[in-house]
Amino acid sequence: RKLSRMGKKQKTGNAGLQATYLSRSSVLKRLQLTLKDFRRLCILKGIYPRHPGKAPGDKKGQTFYHVKDVQYLSHEPLLVKFREF
């Protein structure tokens, strides 16, 4: 069958576990924080790492955070205060 009949091919990273979870290192890059400040912010806001059933890329020992939690933290006014110091 032709691919045009079946629809477009899904791009990688747009669906599945990779779209819903981020690793801790990628979250730190997105929020532009140090690990120490990120830990403090997570404790203050009550955000915990999530453990997906299958880790993206089958990397065990890594910590993952939900994308919505990261978006919540990115709009946090405290984030500016952490970056000042």
Side-chain angles (χ1 to χ4, degrees):
R1 291 187 149 186
K2 289 186 177 180
L3 226 134
S4 61
R5 289 184 189 167
M6 305 200 49
K8 287 189 175 181
K9 192 174 180 182
Q10 188 85 28
K11 288 184 180 178
T12 56
N14 286 344
L17 289 174
Q18 290 180 340
T20 54
Y21 293 98
L22 292 169
S23 65
R24 185 173 65 192
S25 60
S26 63
V27 172
L28 292 176
K29 287 177 187 174
R30 274 193 190 199
L31 297 179
Q32 299 174 356
L33 286 174
T34 61
L35 181 59
K36 186 177 178 182
D37 291 337
F38 177 67
R39 282 183 181 162
R40 285 181 183 169
L41 190 63
C42 285
I43 289 169
L44 286 172
K45 293 296 159 185
I47 291 175
Y48 300 100
R50 309 249 183 131
H51 301 286
K54 282 188 174 179
D58 294 329
K59 295 179 181 174
K60 295 182 180 177
Q62 248 187 349
T63 52
F64 293 96
Y65 291 89
H66 205 268
V67 171
K68 289 187 177 182
D69 292 339
V70 177
Q71 285 177 344
Y72 170 72
L73 286 178
S74 66
H75 296 291
E76 188 60 41
L78 273 176
L79 201 61
V80 180
K81 295 289 183 184
F82 277 118
R83 287 182 186 149
E84 285 178 0
F85 289 103

Coordinates of all heavy atoms in Angstrom, one line a residue:
R1 N 0.8 -1.2 0.0 CA 0.0 0.0 0.0 C 0.9 1.2 0.0 O 2.0 1.3 0.5 CB -0.9 0.0 1.2 CG -1.9 -1.0 1.3 CD -2.8 -0.7 2.4 NE -4.1 -1.2 2.1 CZ -5.2 -1.0 2.9 NH1 -5.0 -0.4 4.0 NH2 -6.3 -1.4 2.5
K2 N 0.3 2.3 -0.5 CA 1.0 3.6 -0.5 C 0.9 4.2 0.8 O -0.1 4.1 1.5 CB 0.5 4.5 -1.6 CG 0.8 4.0 -3.0 CD 0.4 5.1 -4.0 CE 0.8 4.7 -5.4 NZ 0.4 5.7 -6.4
L3 N 1.9 5.0 1.2 CA 1.8 5.7 2.5 C 0.8 6.8 2.5 O 0.3 7.2 3.5 CB 3.2 6.3 2.8 CG 3.7 6.0 4.2 CD1 5.1 5.5 4.2 CD2 3.5 7.2 5.0
S4 N 0.5 7.4 1.3 CA -0.4 8.5 1.2 C -1.8 8.0 1.6 O -2.6 8.8 2.1 CB -0.5 9.1 -0.2 OG -0.9 8.1 -1.1
R5 N -2.2 6.8 1.4 CA -3.5 6.3 1.8 C -3.6 6.1 3.3 O -4.7 6.2 3.9 CB -3.8 4.9 1.1 CG -4.0 5.1 -0.3 CD -4.4 3.7 -0.9 NE -4.4 3.8 -2.4 CZ -4.5 2.7 -3.1 NH1 -4.5 1.5 -2.6 NH2 -4.5 2.8 -4.4
M6 N -2.5 5.8 3.9 CA -2.5 5.5 5.4 C -2.3 6.7 6.2 O -2.4 6.6 7.4 CB -1.4 4.4 5.7 CG -1.6 3.2 4.8 SD -0.9 1.7 5.4 CE -1.4 1.6 7.0
G7 N -2.0 7.8 5.6 CA -1.7 9.0 6.4 C -0.2 9.3 6.5 O 0.6 8.5 6.1
K8 N 0.1 10.5 7.1 CA 1.5 10.8 7.2 C 2.2 10.0 8.3 O 1.5 9.6 9.3 CB 1.6 12.3 7.6 CG 1.3 13.2 6.4 CD 1.6 14.6 6.7 CE 1.4 15.5 5.5 NZ 1.8 16.9 5.8
K9 N 3.5 9.9 8.2 CA 4.3 9.2 9.2 C 4.5 10.1 10.4 O 4.8 11.3 10.2 CB 5.6 8.8 8.6 CG 6.4 7.8 9.5 CD 7.6 7.4 8.7 CE 8.4 6.4 9.6 NZ 9.6 6.0 9.0
Q10 N 4.3 9.6 11.6 CA 4.4 10.4 12.8 C 5.9 10.7 13.0 O 6.8 9.8 12.9 CB 3.9 9.5 14.0 CG 3.8 10.3 15.3 CD 2.5 11.1 15.4 OE1 1.5 10.7 14.8 NE2 2.6 12.2 16.1
K11 N 6.2 12.0 13.4 CA 7.5 12.4 13.7 C 7.9 11.8 15.1 O 7.1 11.7 15.9 CB 7.7 13.9 13.7 CG 7.6 14.5 12.4 CD 7.8 16.0 12.5 CE 7.8 16.6 11.1 NZ 8.0 18.1 11.2
T12 N 9.2 11.5 15.2 CA 9.7 11.0 16.5 C 9.6 12.1 17.6 O 10.0 13.3 17.3 CB 11.1 10.5 16.4 OG1 11.9 11.5 15.9 CG2 11.2 9.3 15.5
G13 N 9.2 11.8 18.7 CA 9.1 12.7 19.8 C 7.8 13.5 19.9 O 7.6 14.3 20.8
N14 N 6.8 13.2 19.1 CA 5.5 13.8 19.1 C 4.4 13.0 19.7 O 3.3 13.5 19.9 CB 5.1 14.2 17.7 CG 5.9 15.4 17.1 OD1 6.5 16.1 17.9 ND2 5.9 15.6 15.8
A15 N 4.7 11.7 19.9 CA 3.7 10.9 20.5 C 4.4 9.8 21.4 O 5.5 9.6 21.3 CB 2.9 10.2 19.4
G16 N 3.6 9.3 22.4 CA 4.1 8.2 23.2 C 4.8 8.8 24.4 O 4.6 9.9 24.9
L17 N 5.7 8.0 25.0 CA 6.4 8.3 26.2 C 7.3 9.5 26.1 O 7.5 10.3 27.0 CB 7.2 7.1 26.7 CG 6.3 6.0 27.3 CD1 7.2 4.8 27.6 CD2 5.6 6.4 28.5
Q18 N 8.0 9.6 24.9 CA 8.9 10.7 24.7 C 8.2 12.1 24.7 O 8.8 13.1 25.0 CB 9.7 10.5 23.4 CG 10.7 9.4 23.5 CD 11.4 9.2 22.2 OE1 11.0 9.7 21.2 NE2 12.5 8.5 22.2
A19 N 6.9 12.1 24.4 CA 6.2 13.4 24.3 C 5.6 13.7 25.7 O 5.3 14.9 26.0 CB 5.1 13.3 23.3
T20 N 5.5 12.8 26.6 CA 4.9 13.0 27.9 C 5.9 13.1 29.0 O 5.5 13.6 30.1 CB 3.8 12.0 28.2 OG1 4.4 10.7 28.1 CG2 2.6 12.0 27.3
Y21 N 7.1 12.6 28.9 CA 8.1 12.6 29.9 C 9.4 13.3 29.5 O 9.7 13.1 28.3 CB 8.4 11.2 30.4 CG 7.2 10.6 31.1 CD1 6.4 9.7 30.4 CD2 6.9 10.8 32.4 CE1 5.3 9.1 31.0 CE2 5.8 10.2 33.1 CZ 5.0 9.4 32.4 OH 4.0 8.8 33.0
L22 N 10.0 14.0 30.4 CA 11.3 14.6 30.1 C 12.3 14.1 31.2 O 12.0 13.9 32.3 CB 11.2 16.1 30.2 CG 10.4 16.8 29.1 CD1 10.2 18.2 29.4 CD2 11.1 16.6 27.7
S23 N 13.5 13.9 30.7 CA 14.6 13.5 31.7 C 15.0 14.7 32.5 O 14.7 15.9 32.2 CB 15.8 12.9 31.0 OG 16.4 13.9 30.2
R24 N 15.6 14.5 33.7 CA 16.0 15.5 34.6 C 16.9 16.5 33.9 O 16.8 17.7 34.1 CB 16.5 15.0 35.9 CG 16.8 16.1 36.9 CD 17.2 15.5 38.2 NE 18.5 14.8 38.1 CZ 19.0 14.0 39.1 NH1 18.3 13.9 40.2 NH2 20.1 13.4 38.9
S25 N 17.9 16.0 33.2 CA 18.9 16.9 32.5 C 18.3 17.8 31.5 O 18.6 18.9 31.4 CB 20.0 16.0 31.9 OG 19.5 15.2 30.9
S26 N 17.3 17.3 30.7 CA 16.6 18.1 29.8 C 15.7 19.1 30.4 O 15.6 20.3 29.9 CB 15.8 17.3 28.8 OG 14.8 16.6 29.4
V27 N 15.2 18.8 31.6 CA 14.4 19.8 32.3 C 15.3 20.9 32.9 O 14.9 22.1 32.8 CB 13.6 19.1 33.5 CG1 12.9 20.1 34.4 CG2 12.6 18.1 33.0
L28 N 16.4 20.6 33.4 CA 17.4 21.6 33.9 C 17.8 22.5 32.7 O 17.9 23.7 33.0 CB 18.6 20.9 34.5 CG 18.4 20.1 35.7 CD1 19.7 19.4 36.2 CD2 17.9 21.0 36.8
K29 N 18.0 22.0 31.5 CA 18.3 22.9 30.4 C 17.2 23.8 30.0 O 17.4 25.0 29.7 CB 18.7 22.0 29.2 CG 20.1 21.4 29.3 CD 20.4 20.5 28.1 CE 21.6 19.7 28.4 NZ 21.9 18.7 27.3
R30 N 16.0 23.3 30.1 CA 14.8 24.1 29.7 C 14.5 25.2 30.7 O 14.2 26.3 30.3 CB 13.5 23.2 29.7 CG 13.3 22.5 28.3 CD 12.0 22.0 28.3 NE 11.9 21.1 27.1 CZ 10.7 20.8 26.5 NH1 9.6 21.1 27.1 NH2 10.7 20.0 25.5
L31 N 14.7 24.9 32.0 CA 14.4 25.9 33.0 C 15.6 26.7 33.3 O 15.5 27.7 34.1 CB 13.9 25.2 34.3 CG 12.6 24.4 34.2 CD1 12.3 23.7 35.5 CD2 11.5 25.3 33.8
Q32 N 16.8 26.4 32.8 CA 18.0 27.1 33.1 C 18.3 27.3 34.5 O 18.5 28.4 35.1 CB 17.9 28.5 32.4 CG 17.8 28.4 30.9 CD 17.6 29.8 30.2 OE1 17.5 30.8 30.9 NE2 17.5 29.8 28.9
L33 N 18.2 26.2 35.2 CA 18.5 26.1 36.7 C 19.6 25.2 37.0 O 19.9 24.3 36.2 CB 17.2 25.7 37.4 CG 16.1 26.6 37.6 CD1 14.9 25.9 38.2 CD2 16.5 27.8 38.4
T34 N 20.2 25.3 38.2 CA 21.1 24.3 38.7 C 20.3 23.2 39.3 O 19.2 23.4 39.6 CB 22.1 24.9 39.7 OG1 21.4 25.4 40.8 CG2 22.9 26.1 39.1
L35 N 21.0 22.1 39.5 CA 20.3 20.9 40.1 C 19.8 21.3 41.6 O 18.7 20.9 42.0 CB 21.2 19.7 40.2 CG 20.7 18.5 40.8 CD1 19.5 18.0 40.0 CD2 21.7 17.4 40.8
K36 N 20.7 22.0 42.3 CA 20.3 22.4 43.7 C 19.1 23.3 43.7 O 18.1 23.0 44.5 CB 21.5 23.2 44.3 CG 21.3 23.5 45.7 CD 22.6 24.2 46.2 CE 22.5 24.6 47.7 NZ 23.7 25.3 48.1
D37 N 19.0 24.3 42.8 CA 17.8 25.1 42.7 C 16.6 24.4 42.3 O 15.4 24.6 42.7 CB 18.0 26.3 41.8 CG 19.0 27.3 42.4 OD1 19.2 27.3 43.7 OD2 19.7 28.1 41.7
F38 N 16.8 23.5 41.3 CA 15.7 22.7 40.8 C 15.1 21.8 41.9 O 13.8 21.6 42.0 CB 16.1 21.8 39.6 CG 15.1 20.9 39.0 CD1 13.9 21.5 38.4 CD2 15.2 19.6 39.2 CE1 13.0 20.6 37.9 CE2 14.2 18.7 38.6 CZ 13.1 19.3 38.0
R39 N 15.9 21.2 42.7 CA 15.4 20.4 43.8 C 14.6 21.2 44.8 O 13.6 20.8 45.3 CB 16.6 19.7 44.5 CG 17.2 18.5 43.8 CD 18.3 17.9 44.6 NE 18.9 16.8 44.0 CZ 20.0 16.3 44.3 NH1 20.7 16.8 45.3 NH2 20.5 15.2 43.7
R40 N 15.1 22.4 45.1 CA 14.4 23.3 46.0 C 13.0 23.6 45.5 O 12.0 23.6 46.2 CB 15.2 24.5 46.3 CG 16.4 24.4 47.2 CD 17.0 25.7 47.3 NE 18.2 25.6 48.1 CZ 19.1 26.5 48.3 NH1 19.0 27.7 47.7 NH2 20.2 26.4 49.0
L41 N 13.0 24.0 44.2 CA 11.7 24.4 43.6 C 10.7 23.2 43.5 O 9.5 23.4 43.8 CB 12.0 24.9 42.2 CG 10.9 25.6 41.4 CD1 10.4 26.8 42.2 CD2 11.3 25.9 40.0
C42 N 11.2 22.0 43.3 CA 10.3 20.9 43.3 C 9.7 20.6 44.6 O 8.6 20.2 44.8 CB 11.0 19.6 42.7 SG 11.3 19.7 41.0
I43 N 10.6 20.7 45.7 CA 10.1 20.5 47.0 C 9.0 21.6 47.4 O 8.0 21.2 48.0 CB 11.3 20.5 48.0 CG1 12.1 19.3 47.8 CG2 10.8 20.6 49.4 CD1 13.4 19.3 48.5
L44 N 9.3 22.8 47.1 CA 8.4 23.9 47.4 C 7.0 23.7 46.7 O 6.0 24.0 47.3 CB 9.0 25.3 47.0 CG 10.1 25.8 47.9 CD1 10.7 27.0 47.3 CD2 9.5 26.1 49.3
K45 N 7.0 23.3 45.4 CA 5.8 23.2 44.6 C 5.2 21.8 44.7 O 4.1 21.6 44.1 CB 6.1 23.6 43.2 CG 6.4 25.0 43.1 CD 5.3 25.8 43.5 CE 5.6 27.2 43.8 NZ 4.5 28.0 44.3
G46 N 5.9 20.8 45.3 CA 5.3 19.5 45.5 C 5.3 18.7 44.2 O 4.3 17.9 43.9
I47 N 6.3 18.8 43.4 CA 6.5 18.0 42.2 C 7.5 16.9 42.4 O 8.6 17.1 42.8 CB 6.9 19.0 41.0 CG1 5.7 19.9 40.7 CG2 7.3 18.2 39.8 CD1 6.0 20.9 39.7
Y48 N 7.0 15.7 42.0 CA 7.8 14.5 42.2 C 8.2 13.9 40.9 O 7.4 14.0 39.9 CB 7.1 13.5 43.1 CG 6.7 14.0 44.4 CD1 5.5 14.5 44.7 CD2 7.7 14.0 45.4 CE1 5.1 15.0 45.9 CE2 7.4 14.5 46.7 CZ 6.1 15.0 46.9 OH 5.8 15.5 48.2
P49 N 9.3 13.2 40.8 CA 9.6 12.5 39.6 C 8.6 11.3 39.3 O 8.1 10.7 40.3 CB 11.0 11.9 39.8 CG 11.3 12.1 41.2 CD 10.4 13.1 41.8
R50 N 8.4 11.1 38.1 CA 7.4 10.0 37.7 C 8.2 8.9 37.1 O 9.3 9.1 36.5 CB 6.4 10.5 36.6 CG 5.7 11.8 37.0 CD 4.3 11.6 37.3 NE 3.6 12.9 37.6 CZ 2.5 13.2 37.0 NH1 2.0 12.4 36.1 NH2 1.9 14.4 37.3
H51 N 7.7 7.7 37.2 CA 8.3 6.5 36.7 C 7.4 5.9 35.6 O 6.5 5.2 35.9 CB 8.6 5.5 37.8 CG 9.5 6.0 38.9 ND1 10.8 6.3 38.7 CD2 9.2 6.5 40.1 CE1 11.3 6.8 39.8 NE2 10.4 6.9 40.7
P52 N 7.7 6.2 34.3 CA 6.9 5.6 33.3 C 7.1 4.1 33.2 O 8.1 3.5 33.7 CB 7.4 6.2 32.0 CG 8.8 6.7 32.3 CD 8.8 7.0 33.8
G53 N 6.1 3.4 32.7 CA 6.2 1.9 32.6 C 7.4 1.5 31.8 O 8.2 0.7 32.3
K54 N 7.6 2.0 30.6 CA 8.8 1.8 29.9 C 9.5 3.1 29.7 O 9.0 4.1 29.3 CB 8.5 1.3 28.5 CG 8.1 -0.2 28.4 CD 8.0 -0.6 26.9 CE 7.8 -2.0 26.8 NZ 7.7 -2.4 25.4
A55 N 10.8 3.2 30.2 CA 11.5 4.4 30.1 C 11.8 4.7 28.7 O 12.2 3.8 27.9 CB 12.8 4.3 30.9
P56 N 11.7 6.0 28.2 CA 12.1 6.3 26.9 C 13.5 6.0 26.6 O 14.4 6.4 27.3 CB 11.9 7.8 26.8 CG 10.9 8.1 27.9 CD 11.2 7.1 29.0
G57 N 13.8 5.2 25.6 CA 15.1 4.8 25.3 C 15.6 3.7 26.2 O 16.8 3.3 26.2
D58 N 14.8 3.1 27.0 CA 15.1 2.0 28.0 C 16.3 2.4 28.8 O 17.2 1.6 29.0 CB 15.3 0.7 27.2 CG 14.1 0.2 26.5 OD1 13.0 0.5 27.1 OD2 14.2 -0.4 25.5
K59 N 16.3 3.6 29.3 CA 17.4 4.0 30.2 C 17.0 3.9 31.6 O 16.1 4.6 32.1 CB 17.8 5.5 29.9 CG 18.4 5.6 28.5 CD 18.7 7.1 28.2 CE 19.2 7.2 26.8 NZ 19.4 8.6 26.4
K60 N 17.5 2.9 32.3 CA 17.2 2.7 33.7 C 18.1 3.5 34.6 O 19.2 3.8 34.3 CB 17.3 1.2 34.1 CG 16.3 0.4 33.3 CD 16.4 -1.1 33.6 CE 15.4 -1.8 32.8 NZ 15.4 -3.2 33.0
G61 N 17.6 4.0 35.7 CA 18.3 4.8 36.7 C 18.2 6.2 36.4 O 18.7 7.1 37.2
Q62 N 17.4 6.6 35.4 CA 17.2 8.0 35.1 C 15.9 8.5 35.7 O 15.0 7.7 35.9 CB 17.1 8.3 33.6 CG 18.3 9.0 33.0 CD 18.0 9.4 31.5 OE1 17.1 8.9 30.9 NE2 18.9 10.2 31.0
T63 N 15.8 9.7 36.1 CA 14.6 10.3 36.6 C 13.9 11.1 35.5 O 14.5 11.8 34.8 CB 14.8 11.2 37.8 OG1 15.8 12.1 37.5 CG2 15.4 10.4 39.0
F64 N 12.5 10.9 35.5 CA 11.7 11.5 34.5 C 10.7 12.4 35.2 O 10.2 12.0 36.2 CB 11.1 10.5 33.6 CG 12.0 9.7 32.7 CD1 12.5 8.5 33.1 CD2 12.5 10.3 31.5 CE1 13.4 7.8 32.3 CE2 13.4 9.6 30.7 CZ 13.8 8.3 31.1
Y65 N 10.3 13.5 34.5 CA 9.3 14.4 35.0 C 8.2 14.6 33.9 O 8.6 14.5 32.7 CB 9.9 15.8 35.4 CG 10.8 15.7 36.6 CD1 12.1 15.4 36.5 CD2 10.2 15.9 37.8 CE1 12.9 15.3 37.6 CE2 11.0 15.8 39.0 CZ 12.3 15.5 38.8 OH 13.1 15.5 40.0
H66 N 7.0 14.8 34.3 CA 5.9 14.9 33.4 C 6.0 16.3 32.7 O 6.4 17.3 33.3 CB 4.6 14.8 34.1 CG 3.5 14.4 33.2 ND1 2.7 15.3 32.6 CD2 3.0 13.1 32.8 CE1 1.8 14.6 31.8 NE2 2.0 13.3 32.0
V67 N 5.7 16.4 31.4 CA 5.8 17.6 30.7 C 4.9 18.7 31.3 O 5.3 19.9 31.3 CB 5.4 17.4 29.2 CG1 5.3 18.7 28.4 CG2 6.4 16.5 28.5
K68 N 3.7 18.4 31.8 CA 2.8 19.4 32.3 C 3.4 19.9 33.6 O 3.2 21.1 34.0 CB 1.4 18.8 32.6 CG 0.7 18.5 31.3 CD -0.7 18.1 31.6 CE -1.5 17.9 30.3 NZ -2.9 17.6 30.5
D69 N 4.1 19.1 34.4 CA 4.8 19.6 35.6 C 5.9 20.6 35.2 O 6.0 21.6 35.9 CB 5.4 18.4 36.4 CG 4.3 17.5 37.0 OD1 3.2 18.0 37.2 OD2 4.7 16.4 37.3
V70 N 6.6 20.3 34.2 CA 7.7 21.3 33.7 C 7.1 22.6 33.2 O 7.6 23.6 33.5 CB 8.5 20.6 32.6 CG1 9.6 21.5 32.1 CG2 9.2 19.3 33.2
Q71 N 6.0 22.5 32.5 CA 5.3 23.7 32.1 C 4.8 24.5 33.3 O 4.9 25.8 33.3 CB 4.1 23.4 31.2 CG 4.5 22.9 29.8 CD 3.4 22.5 28.9 OE1 2.3 22.3 29.4 NE2 3.6 22.4 27.6
Y72 N 4.3 23.9 34.3 CA 3.8 24.5 35.5 C 5.0 25.3 36.2 O 4.9 26.4 36.6 CB 3.2 23.5 36.4 CG 2.9 24.0 37.8 CD1 1.9 24.9 38.0 CD2 3.7 23.6 38.9 CE1 1.6 25.3 39.3 CE2 3.4 24.0 40.2 CZ 2.3 24.9 40.4 OH 2.1 25.4 41.6
L73 N 6.2 24.6 36.2 CA 7.3 25.2 36.8 C 7.9 26.4 36.0 O 8.4 27.4 36.5 CB 8.4 24.2 37.0 CG 8.2 23.2 38.2 CD1 9.4 22.2 38.2 CD2 8.1 23.9 39.5
S74 N 7.7 26.3 34.7 CA 8.3 27.3 33.8 C 7.6 28.7 33.9 O 8.2 29.7 33.7 CB 8.3 26.9 32.4 OG 7.0 26.8 31.9
H75 N 6.3 28.7 34.4 CA 5.5 29.9 34.5 C 5.5 30.3 36.0 O 4.7 31.2 36.4 CB 4.1 29.7 34.1 CG 4.0 29.4 32.6 ND1 4.3 30.4 31.6 CD2 3.7 28.3 31.9 CE1 4.2 29.8 30.4 NE2 3.8 28.6 30.6
E76 N 6.4 29.8 36.8 CA 6.4 30.1 38.2 C 7.2 31.4 38.5 O 8.3 31.6 38.0 CB 7.1 28.9 39.0 CG 7.0 29.0 40.4 CD 5.6 29.0 40.9 OE1 4.8 28.3 40.4 OE2 5.4 29.8 41.9
P77 N 6.6 32.3 39.2 CA 7.3 33.6 39.6 C 8.6 33.4 40.4 O 9.5 34.2 40.3 CB 6.3 34.4 40.3 CG 5.0 33.7 40.2 CD 5.3 32.4 39.7
L78 N 8.6 32.3 41.2 CA 9.8 32.0 42.0 C 11.0 31.7 41.1 O 12.2 31.8 41.6 CB 9.5 30.8 42.9 CG 8.9 31.1 44.2 CD1 8.6 29.8 45.0 CD2 9.8 32.0 45.1
L79 N 10.8 31.3 39.9 CA 11.9 30.9 39.0 C 12.8 32.1 38.7 O 14.1 31.9 38.7 CB 11.3 30.4 37.7 CG 12.1 29.5 36.8 CD1 12.5 28.2 37.5 CD2 11.4 29.2 35.5
V80 N 12.3 33.3 38.7 CA 13.1 34.4 38.5 C 14.0 34.7 39.7 O 15.2 35.1 39.5 CB 12.2 35.7 38.2 CG1 13.0 36.9 38.0 CG2 11.3 35.4 37.0
K81 N 13.5 34.5 40.9 CA 14.2 34.7 42.1 C 15.4 33.7 42.2 O 16.5 34.0 42.6 CB 13.3 34.5 43.3 CG 12.2 35.5 43.4 CD 12.8 36.9 43.8 CE 11.7 37.9 44.0 NZ 12.1 39.2 44.2
F82 N 15.2 32.4 41.7 CA 16.2 31.5 41.8 C 17.3 31.8 40.8 O 18.5 31.6 41.1 CB 15.7 30.1 41.5 CG 15.0 29.4 42.6 CD1 13.7 29.0 42.6 CD2 15.8 29.1 43.8 CE1 13.1 28.4 43.7 CE2 15.2 28.4 44.8 CZ 13.9 28.1 44.8
R83 N 17.0 32.4 39.7 CA 18.0 32.7 38.7 C 18.8 33.9 39.1 O 19.9 34.1 38.6 CB 17.3 33.0 37.3 CG 16.8 31.8 36.6 CD 16.2 32.1 35.3 NE 15.5 30.9 34.7 CZ 14.5 31.0 33.9 NH1 13.9 32.1 33.6 NH2 14.0 29.9 33.4
E84 N 18.3 34.8 39.9 CA 19.0 36.0 40.4 C 20.2 35.6 41.2 O 21.3 36.3 41.1 CB 18.1 36.9 41.2 CG 17.1 37.7 40.3 CD 16.2 38.5 41.2 OE1 16.3 38.5 42.4 OE2 15.3 39.2 40.6
F85 N 20.2 34.6 42.0 CA 21.3 34.2 42.9 C 22.4 33.4 42.2 O 22.4 32.9 41.3 CB 20.7 33.5 44.1 CG 20.0 34.4 45.0 CD1 18.6 34.3 45.1 CD2 20.6 35.3 45.8 CE1 17.8 35.2 45.9 CE2 19.9 36.1 46.7 CZ 18.5 36.1 46.7

